[in-house]
Amino acid sequence: MPLYGQKQLPPFLDERFSPWADSVLATMSQEEKIAQLIMIPAYSNKGQVHVDSISNLVKKYGVGGIIFFQGGPVRQAHMINRFQSESKIPLMISLDGEWGLRMRLDSTVRYPYQMALGGIADEQLLYEMGAEVARQARRSGIHVNFAPVVDVNNNPGNPVIGFRSFGEEKENVARKSLAYMKGMQDQGVLASAKHFPGHGDTDVDSHYGLPVLHFSKKRLEEIELYPFRELMEEGLGSVMVAHMQIPVLDDTPNLASTLSKPIVTDLLKEEMGFEGLVFTDALNMQGVAKYYPPGVVDAKALLAGNDMMLNTMDVPATIREVLKVLERGEISAEEIDQRVLKVLKAKAWMGLDNFQPVETNNLIADLNSPKAEYLSRKLTESSLTLLRNTDAILPIKGLENVKIASLSLGASGITDFQQGLERYAPMPHFTFPKEGDLAAVQQIRQQLADYSLILIGLHGLGIREGSNQYGISPEMIVLIRALMEEHAVVISVFGNVYSLGKIPGLENADGLIAAFQETPLTQDLASQLIFGGIGARGTLPVVINSHFGLGDGMQTKAGFRLAYTQPEALGIETERLMGIDSLMHLAIREKAIPGGQVLIAKEGKIFYHKAFGYHTYDSLQQVRKDDMYDLASITKISTSLAAFMHLKGLGKFDENQTLGTYLPAARGTNKEQLQYRDILTHQARLRAWIPFWMSTVRKNGSFKWFTMKSDSSRRFPIRVADNLYIHRNYNQKIYKEILHSPLNEKPGYVYSDLSFILAPKVVEAITGEDFYGYLERNLYKPLGAGTLTFNPYKAYPLDRIVPTEVDTAFRKQLLHGTVHDEGAAMLGGVSGHAGLFGTSNDLAKLMHLYLYDGSYASQQLIAPGVVSAYSACVFCEEGDNYRGMGFDRPNRPGDPSGNAAASAPASSFGHSGFTGTYTWIDPENELVYVFLSNRVYPSRENRTIYRLNVRTSILEQVYQAMKKSLHELP
């Protein structure tokens, strides 16, 4: 390795690669040597005729390499293996992978465009990207990646580079390119800086014509050539020469730089001293092809000084034309030998002196590793650029005080962006199509009139300006400007950053995010940025206009609300969590559950969130992550206890007081002096439960006339289930029966529903408010937990609500949208012990409020110290009751009968539900776990979930994955 300050040579020029190259060269004919400088195009998405035609060129002429274009990795690997087996000398395989293999191949990881990466501060991420792209390339049989683009894009109207450049500042372009180059070459893939001598300030696309650069030599030296020099100093392996006419270097009419000896030989090789491989740009591009026929253009490229001719379209013609220039003495045999030797040395460095076929087994999985996907996530997240944040509107605060709607412009249907927003708060979603007219503009304005904040996503933009302003219609501009005048507006632009300059007045948006491109990942992350799951860190790598300048970009902090990410973000390997999937598939296969949701978060980041199975065993309705489940007894800690803890912080509830203190109806009964500390820990001698429904049924199974009716009426208005309504005053009978029930003779722990059935009345007596209304106003709305609700059938379609039991005893029907618990059903679906429905995502928000001791999104919704006090073990020192106040906790260490995972620490807490639900909170490891299922379908008699111990075993898998990941840290 050269000393610091010395110019590094391309890595393949090391002498250890010479012996193999020399020995191969000695066996070659002149025609084979010429062919070794030819690289032909191939596609893995074309038919067998195409494959055979490439095979014929490989076998007959011995071409030196292949550049692959569109296709798929497995198909391409099979082609590579075939062609390599047919080639006398191993082929150099190349690909244009500027933003990873996905630029050409399906089923691979997509990395951000270089323009997006240009605003990332952490260049180590670009090195990691280069290394990972190289790993994927090697795994796919690829040896050269024609990247990075080192063009300095200082012309916003550039029709061919634009988003492919790292930006308009030469130093930034050089730094980013160098990191990308080093990452690739350190992992054995040759980088190729392009497009020499600099394609960043053109107004003609060289695919279709010949751009002319009327620059001075001084200008070229100062700007365009700067990144090339910087990379050459650090051992750049190859350069691709562009098709441009540069009169100051070579004023030959209609002669592209690719074919210019003054540019390729005199400037690049001699003046700049580049000793690596020199590739032409594709020789079938019109910048050269319109002036010279195939074969002739290749020979001219070779005479100019290029080492490898890319996209040769007529191999035999090229060999004939090169033989002619050899015969005429325009190039010497020794010069051909030197170039072939350079190619062979590069092949030796690439490992082609010991070629191994591409292994196609597990190829797709290997290319799409979780680490590779997480790197793409990190890069994309770091690139998001916040350009406006008036009055710190982002992240959005105080969800209870703002009425939000989302609007997608240029899209059809709900976008990934809107689905991402929905995770944080309930909101309606609107769309304005590309073809929307002024009447549609007026209609949308009317529909949005009542909303204070509009979250706009700009979609479907062209990657180049073209003739239609990137696809931004005049009607879109009218709508955007009108909405900015009438509402607070946050706009996320999913497309070429130069499009920002095509919307007059955009600088007046309250919030503005440049997302650079439109992918599911950019939309996901932009939605997280808006609500504070992640922070903004990117900056603009180009000047857009007088309002949006180079380096602009504001920062916000992450962790304001939940983030959605991958296990790798927490140092956990995705593979370590595959046991969770296995346990869920086992549970479904054994008919313990028809399906379910599993959510796991650490440090405020949801890193595992999946849905499994179906709503019922005989249903075609797959479980989705936003489906709602009957939470059963998790209702206790999510409603009654939540209200008590909130009131505790306000000084309106004290667990040392009695039931009679707060509930007038309890006074004068044997429940009056029951202390809430004992009630909440289930040792107040209350009976476990009372089968209220049995008193409504005659011996023949029919309902007593004064209890239930099949139709609603003034006397029977309360819905118990479909076509079943209960007397309006029957709740009073239930409350009276609880208050007058005998207490257990023996003291001690007995889990009881009864006090939680009374809890809504207690809360209403303390607050003077409706029970759910109090919870919604003080907790659920600030959390954005809109699906935490009673009687979901009133507000949600049934296909979002998972059924529970086929009740053959009481309601004689499948329970779908109404609560499973009989007592809660008889109370109209609203109780403090059961009846709450919700998604795993919304329940997780409440559990994070508990994890962080009453604080979420910078709001202290429950006073500090209350949750930690209520979740602590109250009577551990006095006996065998290890519960908190309302919360379940691990049993005594060594007791396997508890309701916690084996590795859950003593500080953890949570609750389970009869329908097959479970949630657990671990403050020590900053974990939240939510498991939702309907194990009671079709019958509550199905107890397989307990036998398999699915719920706690899943959490144990997480602990084991964390331990293994920690153990394997360097």
Side-chain angles (χ1 to χ4, degrees), residues 890 898-905 918 920 951-957 959:
N899 204 20
S903 298
Y918 183 85
W920 206 256
R951 295 175 290 185
T952 55
S953 293
I954 286 175
L955 184 55
E956 185 61 23
Q957 287 279 329
Y959 284 118

Side-chain angles (χ1 to χ4, degrees), residues 433-449:
K434 278 186 175 296
E435 63 277 8
D437 57 16
L438 289 177
V441 168
Q442 189 58 31
Q443 182 182 17
I444 284 288
R445 289 177 63 187
Q446 291 172 355
Q447 290 173 326
L448 294 173

Side-chain angles (χ1 to χ4, degrees), residues 675-690:
Q675 190 182 51
Y676 256 104
R677 181 182 297 270
D678 291 325
I679 290 172
L680 294 176
T681 52
H682 297 276
Q683 61 174 41
R685 296 171 57 208
L686 290 169
R687 291 172 63 184
W689 69 297
I690 298 172

